[in-house]
Amino acid sequence: MIRRDAILFAGLGVLILALAVWLKVPTTIQLLVTASAYALIALGLNVQWGYAGLFNVGVMGFLMVGGASVVFVSYPLNDAFWSSDGPFMLLKAIIAAIAGGLLIWGVTRIPKTGSLKKVRGFLLVVAWAVAYVVYRSQIDPAAVLIEEKAGFVGGLGLHPLFGWAAGGVMAGIIAYVIGKICLGLRSDYLAIATIGISEIIRALIKNMDWLTRGTLTVSPIPWPTPLPADIAAAGMDDATMSVILARSGFLAVTVILIAVIFFFLQRAYNGPWGRMMRAIRDNHVAAGAIGKNVTKRELEIFVLGAILMGIGGAILATYVQILDPSGYQPINHTFIVWVMIIVGGAGNNWGALFGAVFIYIVWTISEPASLVLFSMISDLSEGAGIGAIPDIESRALQMRVFVLGLVITFALRYAPQGMIPERVRTDD
Amino acid sequence: MSLLEVKDVEGGYGGAPILNGVNMAIDREDIGVIVGPNGAGKSTTLKAIFGLLEVTAGSIVMDGHEVANQLPDKLVPLGLSFVPQEFNVFTEMTVHENLEMGAYIRNDDISDTLDYVYEMFPPLKDKRKQNAGELSGGQRQMVAMGRALMSQPKLLLLDEPSAGLSPRYMMEIFETVVNVNKSGVGILMVEQNARQALEFATKGFVLAGGNNRYTGTGRELLDDPEVAQSFLGG
Amino acid sequence: MNELIFFVNKVLISGATLGSVYALGAVGVTLIFGILRFAHFAHGDMMTLGAFVAFMLVAVFQSLGIQTPLPTGFIVLPFAMAITAGLALGIDRGFYQPLRAKGVKTVTLLIASVGVTLMMQGVIRLFAGTGTRSFFENETKDLYRFKLPIEGVRRSINFSEPQILVIVTTVIAVIALHFFLTRSRLGKGMRAMADNPSLAQVSGINTAAVVRATWIIAGSLAAMAGTLLALDVILKPDLAFNILLPIFAAAVVGGLGHSYGAIAGGFLIGFAETMSVFNWAVLLRPFKAGLPDWLPNDLSIVPSEYKLTVAFVILVLVLLVRPQGIFKGAST
Ligand SMILES: Nc1ncnc2c1ncn2[C@@H]1O[C@H](COP(=O)(O)OP(=O)(O)OP(=O)(O)O)[C@@H](O)[C@H]1O
Ligand SMILES: [Mg+2]
């Protein structure tokens, strides 16, 4: 690492210490936990964009999948569901889905040449329609019954770390399907498809009440580490101290996770695999010409990035202990991650790490800061006889959105490499 | 002073220079032919004249105006027209519209020039409503040349007009080139079919490694044993 | 018969309205793509911006006491379009053109358009707040009912005034665009540049002027689409960001870069959406007696909260089967 980077990270450390004094320690640790989740997400996006040049504007969707997965895997068992007809009916729906899938698969086996090739497309449409109708005929009554009898399916009651893993896996599966369709086409198509899938995931999680309780929200999601209440129960008298300890425990888990993932990402990046990815990113044609299967490699990397995003999303939901679909917004969950890696330095994991923590801190403190700023302007305008600014709070928040956009466009123009730019070792 | 004078031009695509001192002079009655091995910088020379890449040294004077590093929308009004080697028609526009695009910079009545082009390339007349993408390679080449003639150029730059055409078509294109020249348009063209092209060239340039190796009339180059040996395949 | 009229109201009229708005948006997206080669993510917010410009103009008109026979929001449309076109030009100057001048990859322009969309969202909400507004606070929204002269028909075919305006205006805009692209020199130059940018340059076409024309057209169509949508539904800051997906889907269905395809794609997506959320059981009601009773009461293809998935599924299908778009033919 070069000296400039060390100075930047040292500056970040000082900033965090200053926050600890200003916002007090528990809040600072809380901020760091969330920032670490974003760091993981930013690493995921850096893998996709920085390593391979894949344009993903659906980060939010992958985060929501992670959140929903941790609810399903780690929320306590819902006895009302398991003692009802629900599991049986869901099983029927799953079987229907599998049967439908098999039907579709069977039709795709029809050779593209030969006597049936004319009706192939038509049969495929029919197969999809039949599969969809059969599935809906099973899932709809199941959903109604579950919502009526049990509210929602509840969880499996497993340790949250399994939930995080499940979040990664689910996000990876979705990325695989999207990637299969869009990679190999122009990057614009991937952008459109990812923004679409993230909106659809949001619609699903918001409306599949039987699975996620939708807007009713699910809480509390258990922590992988002891909660403040657990520590207090274990004999800690000082309430602040138990909060600090509990949050530190959570932070320790995320930091270790990041350290491990970071280590492997760095190794991969500097190894032959990373070299190949850069070759693909910088010159599609040349890499294709030397016989590497570009689309397949890109698919791998898209899935890998999405897995990291899924885990990050699971951590975010776990820490706040609630899955609230209405709380997910593209600005807070997609575009801010883009700002993180553009400002930090796309293609450099250190840059992504730095950008994630730095931008998250700036984003968080900009809320009170912009309020102060707007109050000042408001006082001024009142003093000048124009009158105070109405709805000052919501407007101050909107200013942040504007600044985010401004930062993106300015960074692209004046510092496209970011604060910690990509450095490709040329000696190997 | 000639219509077009290229003096000691150097330039490239941003990396190492491709042209290292190219010299040419063409008049309105000339047919200049550039020959040379693949990658010699023949297309690059035409692009440099036409402002499509950066000229780092030397001068290009067209009709008394210094035009090095001028963009095409300034050069076309000066009477310069260019037919690129590849992708030289608007595939999703009709033949007629292709020709109209050639006359984009003109504000006067273009119907006479249209008649002249259709006369020059009779097969195009029947295909005028058809998309250029649906034509054969030879017909496309006609559309491309027709388009370039629509701006009523004084000098026409052609990059391998006969590439990929059968020998018969090649002779037809060459005949057209000579006819166009007779109607008062100077020609500077790159050709792989060097022998046939040099036959009717008033000026020939052998380019290799980004500069002129030999310059002379077409006949002189054909008769020069060294040129014949090294560049015309014996 | 009553059921059929319900179908006409719910599917055909709504679909045509929605399709018109999508078509106007998709044409802008596709033109920008054709000329500048990137998917313009800020297009949804450009529509919203246009609608807010129109809204402010309405306030000005009303404060001047100008009375109009048609909704004022419609009367101010030309002015709103002109202002939005100017803003679009300014945005290009300020944010895209410097990047193009640096010769960046087109995906960088795509990211820049994400930045621009955030800035526009911020600015709109900064000044207009986050609430919803109606163009019809001081005016009435007329409803036209057409009774069919058939015995026993109670329902009427209903058009709201904005719906008629949307459809009629779109038809006019599409015809005007068609003549522009096929008859005018600049329009043909645009098609040429979309077809083969380097040859367009070689032909002496002033590419900078073509780029400006593109932004002017895309900006004014965006203002038109946004205002008409706000007239039909309601004006809110996330008005058009939410329909970005159907608009892109429409542009992709038509083949990115192909204007006529985008128009067709817009209507296709519009009708597909209304047909998918339509409860087809309604049409079966007259035959109720003869139907088996296991048939559910709700026969809509997707529940209306998943309307968005319709555009997405169509998009994905097109990408799978024919990424170059399902319509063959003229470009731009
Ligand atoms: N767009 C470009 N960017 C960078 N280098 C280029 C570009 N086009 C050509 N070159 C390089 O410039 C050199 C000369 O190319 P040019 O196209 O002028 O050759 P040419 O003489 O026309 O050959 P040919 O007979 O094959 O057409 C080559 O080494 C080529 O690699
Ligand atoms: Mg060449």
Side-chain angles (χ1 to χ4, degrees):
Chain A
M1 210 172 22
I2 294 179
R3 232 180 69 205
R4 212 174 73 101
D5 303 358
I7 294 172
L8 281 174
F9 272 97
L12 192 60
V14 172
L15 180 62
I16 292 170
L17 287 179
L19 283 180
V21 175
W22 179 38
L23 298 173
K24 302 288 174 300
V25 176
T27 315
T28 309
I29 302 177
Q30 167 155 322
L31 205 148
L32 287 178
V33 173
T34 318
S36 69
Y38 272 103
L40 206 54
I41 297 160
L43 283 175
L45 188 61
N46 188 38
V47 167
Q48 292 179 340
W49 167 248
Y51 285 20
L54 304 177
F55 193 71
N56 176 359
V57 260
V59 180
M60 180 187 80
F62 295 109
L63 303 192
M64 290 190 81
V65 167
S69 303
V70 77
V71 166
F72 182 69
V73 172
S74 307
Y75 197 73
L77 292 173
N78 181 356
D79 292 329
F81 165 68
W82 291 105
S83 58
S84 71
D85 267 350
F88 175 63
M89 295 183 73
L90 263 192
L91 185 69
K92 283 205 300 189
I94 292 170
I95 293 173
I98 293 173
L102 284 177
L103 178 68
I104 294 164
W105 181 80
V107 175
T108 58
R109 296 284 93 184
I110 297 176
K112 283 194 183 146
T113 53
S115 55
L116 280 174
K117 75 168 186 244
K118 287 227 177 77
V119 289
R120 187 176 183 274
F122 175 71
L123 284 179
L124 206 54
V125 172
V126 172
W128 272 101
V130 169
Y132 179 69
V133 168
V134 169
Y135 171 70
R136 279 284 301 273
S137 74
Q138 297 304 313
I139 193 73
D140 285 358
V144 170
L145 178 115
I146 294 169
E147 279 165 31
E148 202 171 280
K149 290 266 158 61
F152 80 127
V153 296
L156 299 176
L158 298 175
H159 191 274
L161 288 182
F162 289 108
W164 296 4
V169 170
M170 284 307 298
I173 292 172
I174 290 170
Y176 179 82
V177 176
I178 291 285
K180 206 71 184 146
I181 296 168
C182 297
L183 293 173
L185 300 173
R186 279 185 66 101
S187 50
D188 305 77
Y189 293 109
L190 184 64
I192 297 167
T194 48
I195 204 167
I197 195 78
S198 84
E199 289 302 322
I200 283 166
I201 289 173
R202 178 157 69 162
L204 286 172
I205 292 183
K206 225 179 197 161
N207 293 301
M208 293 212 310
D209 286 11
W210 62 273
L211 184 62
T212 64
R213 261 168 66 98
T215 44
L216 296 174
T217 73
V218 183
S219 71
I221 302 169
W223 274 20
T225 52
L227 286 162
D230 302 330
I231 295 180
M236 170 63 70
D237 295 331
D238 186 346
T240 315
M241 202 58 209
S242 47
V243 170
I244 291 179
L245 279 179
R247 289 181 180 174
S248 305
F250 198 108
L251 182 63
V253 176
T254 57
V255 167
I256 292 171
L257 193 62
I258 289 181
V260 173
I261 289 174
F262 193 88
F263 174 76
F264 283 109
L265 284 181
Q266 271 313 79
R267 264 191 53 165
Y269 186 69
N270 290 322
W273 182 78
R275 256 199 309 282
M276 184 178 64
M277 292 317 309
R278 283 193 296 278
I280 292 175
R281 176 194 65 189
D282 293 338
N283 194 345
H284 259 258
V285 189
I290 51 177
K292 305 232 157 94
N293 190 337
V294 173
T295 311
K296 210 166 158 198
R297 294 288 93 76
E298 286 183 340
L299 187 59
E300 277 170 21
I301 213 158
F302 191 61
V303 170
L304 173 63
I307 291 175
L308 297 183
M309 291 175 191
I311 299 176
I315 296 176
L316 279 181
T318 309
Y319 180 73
V320 295
Q321 296 201 282
I322 184 168
L323 179 70
D324 176 10
S326 326
Y328 286 87
Q329 293 298 332
I331 290 173
N332 303 23
H333 294 95
T334 295
F335 298 130
I336 196 172
V337 187
W338 270 98
V339 176
M340 287 168 179
I341 67 163
I342 290 175
V343 170
N348 187 328
N349 288 325
W350 292 105
L353 207 58
F354 177 85
V357 178
F358 178 65
I359 293 295
Y360 186 73
I361 291 175
V362 170
W363 176 252
T364 313
I365 60 178
S366 72
E367 182 168 347
S370 53
L371 202 56
V372 170
L373 184 72
F374 266 66
S375 309
M376 268 162 55
I377 300 175
S378 181
D379 291 346
L380 274 181
S381 68
E382 207 170 3
I386 309 170
I389 304 176
D391 304 333
I392 199 162
E393 286 181 17
S394 70
R395 278 173 212 261
L397 285 187
Q398 294 313 322
M399 195 61 209
R400 298 197 301 170
V401 177
F402 176 79
V403 171
L404 213 58
L406 201 66
V407 168
I408 292 185
T409 47
F410 269 64
L412 289 178
R413 187 157 156 197
Y414 297 109
Q417 308 285 327
M419 293 174 80
I420 303 183
E422 175 174 20
R423 290 187 197 92
V424 177
R425 267 191 268 154
T426 41
D427 50 17
D428 56 6
Chain B
M1 182 138 192
S2 299
L3 178 62
L4 175 76
E5 297 220 15
V6 177
K7 272 219 183 75
D8 300 324
V9 161
E10 296 174 16
Y13 297 93
I18 307 286
L19 305 180
N20 315 298
V22 175
N23 289 286
M24 274 165 204
I26 294 287
D27 268 309
R28 214 164 165 159
E29 27 317 318
D30 278 330
I31 297 180
V33 171
I34 308 175
V35 300
N38 290 120
K42 305 185 296 293
S43 299
T44 308
T45 302
L46 292 193
K47 287 188 207 161
I49 296 171
F50 213 66
L52 298 175
L53 59 89
E54 202 193 345
V55 173
T56 49
S59 75
I60 301 172
V61 177
M62 171 74 196
D63 215 2
H65 304 268
E66 170 64 53
V67 296
N69 293 322
Q70 291 272 14
L71 286 176
D73 54 341
K74 294 282 178 314
L75 299 172
V76 178
L78 284 180
L80 207 54
S81 219
F82 177 41
V83 180
Q85 187 169 349
E86 305 175 284
F87 307 112
N88 52 18
V89 297
F90 298 108
T91 52
E92 299 196 31
M93 299 178 86
T94 64
V95 169
H96 188 78
E97 285 172 332
N98 265 276
L99 299 183
E100 282 180 332
M101 288 302 102
Y104 195 86
I105 51 131
R106 287 177 55 184
N107 290 314
D108 52 341
D109 184 16
I110 63 168
S111 50
D112 286 350
T113 325
L114 274 172
D115 291 343
Y116 158 79
V117 168
Y118 284 132
E119 209 170 296
M120 201 65 89
F121 306 100
L124 296 188
K125 194 146 193 177
D126 303 332
K127 309 254 176 194
R128 33 187 312 193
K129 293 257 157 65
Q130 216 164 322
N131 276 358
E134 298 164 7
L135 302 184
S136 76
Q139 290 164 341
R140 279 190 206 205
Q141 200 61 46
M142 294 179 192
V143 174
M145 281 175 65
R147 194 217 85 238
L149 288 171
M150 285 302 295
S151 61
Q152 293 184 314
K154 297 177 186 138
L155 180 64
L156 184 61
L157 309 177
L158 297 169
D159 198 347
E160 301 199 22
S162 73
L165 300 187
S166 69
R168 219 200 73 202
Y169 255 130
M170 179 188 77
M171 291 321 292
E172 255 176 52
I173 288 282
F174 285 174
E175 266 167 41
T176 317
V177 168
V178 173
N179 284 338
V180 167
N181 178 247
K182 279 192 190 133
S183 73
V185 182
I187 305 276
L188 177 60
M189 63 193 256
V190 170
E191 252 314 317
Q192 292 291 1
N193 295 304
R195 281 182 181 281
Q196 292 88 335
L198 286 174
E199 290 285 348
F200 59 82
T202 58
K203 290 195 171 150
F205 309 94
V206 178
L207 225 63
N211 56 40
N212 298 52
R213 289 298 165 82
Y214 299 91
T215 306
T217 65
R219 198 69 255 159
E220 281 166 7
L221 293 185
L222 283 172
D223 293 341
D224 186 327
E226 265 182 71
V227 174
Q229 179 83 44
S230 329
F231 298 105
L232 304 177
Chain C
M1 199 60 211
N2 284 312
E3 287 75 16
L4 212 59
I5 291 177
F6 186 69
F7 174 80
V8 170
N9 285 339
K10 279 278 169 199
V11 174
L12 297 188
I13 296 178
S14 300
T17 313
L18 207 54
S20 300
V21 172
Y22 291 169
L24 291 177
V27 166
V29 165
T30 224
L31 283 176
I32 296 172
F33 185 89
I35 301 296
L36 299 169
R37 303 268 133 203
F38 75 103
H40 186 229
F41 263 75
H43 212 71
D45 282 302
M46 200 174 262
M47 289 166 65
T48 315
L49 189 70
F52 271 99
V53 169
F55 191 80
M56 288 194 298
L57 290 174
V58 167
V60 171
F61 267 53
Q62 286 177 344
S63 70
L64 293 177
I66 301 175
Q67 296 280 329
T68 52
L70 290 167
T72 317
F74 182 74
I75 299 294
V76 300
L77 202 49
F79 304 100
M81 287 164 66
I83 293 174
T84 314
L87 290 172
L89 280 176
I91 289 170
D92 183 58
R93 255 302 161 73
F95 301 105
Y96 302 134
Q97 202 222 310
L99 290 175
R100 284 201 302 277
K102 278 173 65 179
V104 299
K105 291 193 206 155
T106 55
V107 67
T108 307
L109 291 169
L110 186 60
I111 306 177
S113 77
V114 168
V116 167
T117 213
L118 294 182
M119 294 200 305
M120 288 209 271
Q121 283 183 10
V123 167
I124 290 171
R125 283 164 216 215
L126 192 63
F127 289 106
T130 48
T132 56
R133 291 148 203 270
S134 168
F135 271 98
F136 294 96
E137 267 150 20
N138 304 317
E139 295 173 20
T140 50
K141 205 185 232 180
D142 294 333
L143 196 66
Y144 300 102
R145 298 168 190 282
F146 300 96
K147 282 248 185 239
L148 293 186
I150 302 176
E151 190 97 7
V153 175
R154 281 163 291 115
R155 276 180 191 280
S156 53
I157 295 182
N158 296 340
F159 276 99
S160 73
E161 197 175 14
Q163 283 178 323
I164 297 182
L165 293 176
V166 172
I167 296 169
V168 170
T169 317
T170 305
V171 170
I172 295 172
V174 167
I175 293 173
L177 184 72
H178 170 75
F179 279 108
F180 173 74
L181 289 175
T182 53
R183 300 291 160 86
S184 78
R185 172 151 47 164
L186 191 57
K188 286 184 211 176
M190 262 171 95
R191 286 169 52 212
M193 193 170 159
D195 187 332
N196 187 336
S198 58
L199 189 63
Q201 196 193 12
V202 163
S203 302
I205 294 175
N206 183 341
T207 50
V210 171
V211 169
R212 281 197 295 276
T214 308
W215 283 111
I216 290 173
I217 295 173
S220 38
L221 290 183
M224 186 188 268
T227 309
L228 293 172
L229 180 65
L231 279 170
D232 184 31
V233 192
I234 196 104
L235 179 62
K236 49 184 179 180
D238 57 0
L239 175 77
F241 185 72
N242 290 332
I243 62 167
L244 199 57
L245 182 63
I247 286 175
F248 273 127
V252 172
V253 166
L256 276 177
H258 296 244
S259 316
Y260 302 113
I263 293 160
F267 283 100
L268 190 137
I269 302 267
F271 285 119
E273 283 188 350
T274 50
M275 287 203 279
S276 307
V277 297
F278 182 70
N279 182 4
W280 295 89
V282 171
L283 290 186
L284 297 176
R285 244 172 239 162
F287 319 103
K288 196 152 192 161
L291 291 176
D293 40 341
W294 50 259
L295 213 65
N297 286 329
D298 186 355
L299 278 183
S300 55
I301 298 170
V302 294
S304 57
E305 26 333 343
Y306 299 132
K307 199 171 163 189
L308 202 62
T309 47
V310 177
F312 185 76
V313 168
I314 295 175
L315 171 79
V316 164
L317 275 178
V318 171
L319 290 185
L320 277 176
V321 184
R322 269 181 77 93
Q324 70 276 36
I326 59 178
F327 301 102
K328 261 192 174 163
S331 98
T332 263

